[in-house]
Amino acid sequence: MSFDLDHYKQTAKAVDVDDIDFDDFRDQPLSDDAIRCLHYMTDVETHTVCYLRDLLVTPSHQNPRITAFLTMWNFEEYWHGDVIDRILAVHHEVNGLPRHRSVRLSQGFKGNVVTPITQCLAAAVVGEDFIATHMTFGAVNEWSAHAAYGRLIELERHATLTKILQRIQQQESRHLAFYMSEARERLEKSRKAQRVTRFALRRLWAPVGSSISPKPETRFVLNHLLGGEGGGKIVKMLDSKVDKLPGQEGLSVVAKAMKAFGVRVAAA
Ligand SMILES: [Fe+2]
Ligand SMILES: [Fe+2]
């Protein structure tokens, strides 16, 4: 069944935290490890508008169904970052606009100029089938984000954090539903889309956030959330989801990325 975009458009909203008492974090602060993960997570969430910039120079921008979704998606992701920033603020951590700006500036000439230009050119060469690759990457990244929040909930066992992250997860699930339905439909229709996407997953996919964060931070977050016993199950689950997309079986992209970052994943 295809995704009900009209319903999504009407119901997209800032994640609701009106009933959350952020002072709970003063009484029961989060662990240092959780804080470090939340920094990484909010950097990713608040960078969504920049990922969007890089996607609007591709054939995805010619499809009004895709851009309607991306408009709402960007809005919701913005608020995910904002809410996480509020948690960090209670812990007296750097957060908000100065932090977002420093992340953007740290991308330098490569991230701010070379990446959008090369993405624009490569996508133009591929043409319409590029959208299948974009949708597939979107699906993998939403699966990863959902799983990462779930794992942080499990590790931290903090009632207020759980409430907030579960609400974020609900929105990530809707993003995932859109990306997955579009990816599946487009991959089913085109062998070329399957080949291009397979190539891109194998050669270009990297854990969400790894392109904008310092390597040690990515390694820490991957290790904390996806390493060891508990993480092994998640890595396997993520790779099995990719396996089920038309023409994308047997890639093990997530397991390979863990290895590339030196993360030891326990056999599930
Ligand atoms: Fe998000
Ligand atoms: Fe999302």
Side-chain angles (χ1 to χ4, degrees):
M1 202 178 72
S2 85
F3 184 87
D4 186 347
L5 184 62
D6 277 333
H7 181 254
Y8 176 58
K9 266 162 40 186
Q10 301 304 332
T11 53
K13 59 175 189 178
V15 64
D16 186 4
V17 289
D18 286 352
D19 61 330
I20 300 286
D21 185 355
F22 284 80
D23 281 337
D24 290 349
F25 293 106
R26 263 183 250 284
D27 305 333
Q28 196 194 338
L30 298 173
S31 68
D32 290 347
D33 288 351
I35 291 291
R36 207 166 157 188
C37 289
L38 289 175
H39 271 299
Y40 185 93
M41 288 161 155
T42 187
D43 285 350
V44 174
E45 299 284 11
T46 56
H47 207 72
T48 302
V49 70
C50 310
Y51 297 129
L52 181 59
R53 170 202 64 188
D54 298 351
L55 291 161
L56 291 178
V57 295
T58 72
S60 296
H61 95 279
Q62 291 157 9
N63 184 310
R65 179 175 163 82
I66 304 280
T67 53
F69 166 77
L70 291 176
T71 303
M72 304 300 153
W73 166 76
N74 179 50
F75 174 75
E76 290 193 324
E77 302 291 17
Y78 172 83
W79 287 107
H80 296 174
D82 192 82
V83 168
I84 296 173
D85 279 354
R86 287 179 66 182
I87 302 173
L88 292 172
V90 180
H91 291 82
H92 307 291
E93 293 286 320
V94 178
N95 74 91
L97 301 186
R99 168 74 183 187
H100 307 167
R101 180 167 161 77
S102 75
V103 171
R104 289 176 202 182
L105 292 179
S106 72
Q107 305 311 307
F109 187 74
K110 182 175 179 289
N112 291 319
V113 180
V114 177
T115 300
I117 290 174
T118 49
Q119 175 133 303
C120 173
L121 294 174
V125 170
V126 174
E128 172 89 14
D129 282 326
F130 171 85
I131 303 176
T133 306
H134 169 190
M135 296 296 108
T136 302
F137 273 51
V140 181
N141 292 343
E142 295 289 347
W143 272 321
S144 310
H146 189 281
Y149 285 127
R151 183 75 175 127
L152 189 56
I153 289 170
E154 195 179 291
L155 288 169
E156 203 61 14
R157 296 183 186 281
H158 185 291
T160 307
L161 181 74
T162 298
K163 230 186 255 179
I164 295 170
L165 296 187
Q166 282 178 343
R167 290 179 194 176
I168 292 178
Q169 275 187 308
Q170 278 170 14
Q171 296 195 335
E172 308 294 17
S173 296
R174 289 216 293 179
H175 304 164
L176 170 59
F178 177 84
Y179 281 120
M180 212 180 42
S181 71
E182 287 286 331
R184 179 170 295 285
E185 219 169 279
R186 288 165 187 279
L187 289 169
E188 263 162 11
K189 275 199 292 217
S190 164
R191 288 295 301 275
K192 181 183 159 202
Q194 290 183 20
R195 279 200 307 274
V196 170
T197 302
R198 194 175 172 84
F199 174 84
L201 278 173
R202 205 150 42 84
R203 303 290 293 271
L204 305 172
W205 186 83
V208 62
S210 62
S211 64
I212 60 163
S213 304
K215 211 169 175 183
E217 289 313 298
T218 305
R219 187 178 297 122
F220 170 80
V221 170
L222 293 178
N223 221 344
H224 189 61
L225 299 179
L226 298 179
E229 296 291 327
K233 271 185 264 164
I234 298 173
V235 171
K236 204 167 175 208
M237 178 273 287
L238 292 171
D239 275 331
S240 75
K241 300 229 182 235
V242 180
D243 272 354
K244 293 191 184 89
L245 290 171
Q248 311 307 308
E249 50 289 324
L251 287 169
S252 303
V253 280
V254 184
K256 282 178 186 158
M258 294 306 112
K259 210 170 166 194
F261 275 94
V263 176
R264 194 191 61 81
V265 176

